[in-house]
Amino acid sequence: MSPGSDTDTETGEELPTSLEDAADLLYGIGREEFIPVRDAMVKDVRKAGDRELAKDIAALRKPSVAAWVANRLAREYPEEIEGLEELGGSLREAQEKLEGDALRQLSRQRHGLINALVERGRRIAREEAVRLGDPAVRELERTIGAALADPAAARALAGGQLAGGMEAGPGLGEGGISAALGVPASGAPAARRDGPSRPTRVRPDRRAPRPAPEPDEDDADELHEDDTDDTDDIRDDQETREREDRERAEQEERERAERERREREERERAEQAARKARERADDLAEQAREASEAADAATGEAEEADATVSDLRARLDAAEEARRAAWERSDTAGRERDTRRREADRAREDADTAERHARTVGART
């Protein structure tokens, strides 16, 4: 047992000494085991005297099916899950630099990784006899997508302690990640991996080009002859570049407007989901408080019942001892009675003998 840890005297198992230890255990077991194991842990921790920790453990939420699968993936495939942050950073860098080929390749890698992880999640669910329906699959896909979009979400997924899913978008942030975590956020910064969390953006060289060197006099005539053709080519190239620039600007404007529309819709959905999640969290917290009070009351009743049983057991032991003593006295009295009866029989026999002897003596005289 590690220094400072407590041990359940009934089971001999080591009790958690922090909320993080308890969450790490609970979010790694079977989903249907979560509630009974958590309640037993709360009882043991409370019995050990740490009522504050027991209250915190009681507030841990049972994970959704998608969150449970995500936690199992984080434990069974840690390298793939931790690689989501690196892949997400590469995608953002390609988007910022408008690197089309790299973006297409990374996008295919992104879809392939999500599909592979979802398929592994299906296998885990089948092996554990957990039904992973279409809504849960979509929640799992959104959670993995959020890990690709946000480094903090990637670290949260890798931690393996999710109680709900995550979704990429403006509403994700610290609040969205905290809402998905089973353990309340402590305020401490999350551990960062080595190296920058986002790639450094390379700024284009905006310095004015250096002037071309003056041509030698021997080349002046040749350059003059080609000047007209070069001017036409330059004008055509300039017109082509201007047209391409206009088309690119129009395309960027359309993409920007579409992106703003999607972000606005996602933000509205995220705010609505956050309100509902907060309301549900408040309801569950109230239910947890009531359940905690009921558990405390039941514990008091159980302790009183234990005291009553102990008293009755002591009285029963005393009655058993008295019964044994009474039977011993009864046996002793029975033996004494038999002895006295035998002595009385012998005395009567002696008296009869004496009487017969007296009569015999009298008859002789």
Side-chain angles (χ1 to χ4, degrees), residues 156-234:
L157 174 57
Q161 295 182 9
L162 296 180
M166 298 182 290
E167 184 172 2
L172 182 60
E174 183 178 354
I177 296 172
S178 297
L181 286 172
V183 180
S186 63
R192 293 185 178 274
R193 299 172 57 184
D194 295 337
S197 59
R198 290 180 62 93
T200 303
R201 184 172 181 177
V202 179
R203 297 182 178 275
D205 188 359
R206 300 185 182 278
R207 294 174 298 178
R210 298 176 62 184
E214 292 293 334
D216 296 335
E217 293 181 359
D218 295 339
D219 297 333
D221 293 340
E222 182 178 354
L223 290 173
H224 179 73
E225 293 175 356
D226 296 336
D227 184 64
T228 302
D229 293 337
D230 290 342
T231 300
D232 293 339
D233 292 340
I234 292 172

Side-chain angles (χ1 to χ4, degrees), residues 305-349:
D306 287 342
T308 301
V309 169
S310 298
D311 180 63
L312 292 174
R313 185 174 290 112
R315 293 168 61 185
L316 177 61
D317 292 341
E320 288 286 347
E321 183 63 27
R323 183 179 68 86
R324 285 193 297 271
W327 276 112
E328 289 177 358
R329 291 194 300 271
S330 175
D331 292 341
T332 302
R335 290 192 297 271
E336 183 67 23
R337 179 199 61 200
D338 294 341
T339 300
R340 296 294 177 264
R341 283 178 178 176
R342 287 193 296 271
E343 291 176 351
D345 290 341
R346 284 195 298 272
R348 281 192 296 271
E349 290 176 357

Side-chain angles (χ1 to χ4, degrees), residues 31 63-71 132 135-140 143 164-165:
R31 183 170 180 268
S64 66
V65 174
W68 176 80
V69 172
N71 294 336
L132 187 64
V137 170
R138 288 193 292 271
E139 183 180 350
L140 178 60
T143 298

Side-chain angles (χ1 to χ4, degrees), residues 68-298:
W68 176 80
V69 172
N71 294 336
R72 289 292 300 272
L73 287 171
R75 285 167 167 77
E76 296 188 19
Y77 303 98
E79 294 182 359
E80 288 84 346
I81 295 298
E82 292 173 359
L84 293 173
E85 184 177 355
E86 181 178 357
L87 177 58
S90 299
L91 279 165
R92 289 188 293 275
E93 181 181 16
Q95 289 172 344
E96 291 171 355
K97 294 183 177 181
L98 298 177
E99 296 174 346
D101 293 338
L103 186 58
R104 282 189 292 272
Q105 181 180 356
L106 291 170
S107 296
R108 287 193 296 269
Q109 186 177 349
R110 173 185 184 275
H111 291 302
L113 182 55
I114 292 177
N115 292 336
L117 289 173
V118 169
E119 186 56 36
R120 290 174 177 175
R122 291 181 188 272
R123 179 185 57 77
I124 291 173
R126 285 195 301 269
E127 291 176 352
E128 297 289 341
V130 174
R131 184 179 182 276
L132 187 64
D134 291 341
V137 170
R138 288 193 292 271
E139 183 180 350
L140 178 60
E141 291 174 342
R142 289 194 297 268
T143 298
I144 299 172
L148 286 163
D150 190 304
R155 290 190 289 272
L157 174 57
Q161 295 182 9
L162 296 180
M166 298 182 290
E167 184 172 2
L172 182 60
E174 183 178 354
I177 296 172
S178 297
L181 286 172
V183 180
S186 63
R192 293 185 178 274
R193 299 172 57 184
D194 295 337
S197 59
R198 290 180 62 93
T200 303
R201 184 172 181 177
V202 179
R203 297 182 178 275
D205 188 359
R206 300 185 182 278
R207 294 174 298 178
R210 298 176 62 184
E214 292 293 334
D216 296 335
E217 293 181 359
D218 295 339
D219 297 333
D221 293 340
E222 182 178 354
L223 290 173
H224 179 73
E225 293 175 356
D226 296 336
D227 184 64
T228 302
D229 293 337
D230 290 342
T231 300
D232 293 339
D233 292 340
I234 292 172
R235 184 170 53 253
D236 291 342
D237 292 341
Q238 182 67 25
E239 292 176 354
T240 300
R241 284 195 297 272
E242 291 176 355
R243 184 175 65 254
E244 291 175 350
D245 289 342
R246 285 195 303 272
E247 293 175 352
R248 183 163 49 252
E250 292 172 356
Q251 178 65 23
E252 290 177 354
E253 179 62 23
R254 287 193 297 269
E255 292 176 353
R256 184 190 62 79
E258 178 63 19
R259 185 167 57 254
E260 290 179 352
R261 183 188 65 80
R262 289 197 303 268
E263 290 177 352
R264 184 171 59 254
E265 293 177 352
E266 290 176 357
R267 182 170 58 254
E268 292 173 354
R269 288 196 300 268
E271 291 173 352
Q272 182 179 4
R275 285 193 298 270
K276 291 182 178 179
R278 177 54 57 190
E279 292 173 357
R280 177 168 174 76
D282 292 341
D283 292 341
L284 291 175
E286 179 63 21
Q287 295 176 16
R289 184 190 62 78
E290 294 174 354
S292 178
E293 292 177 353
D296 291 341

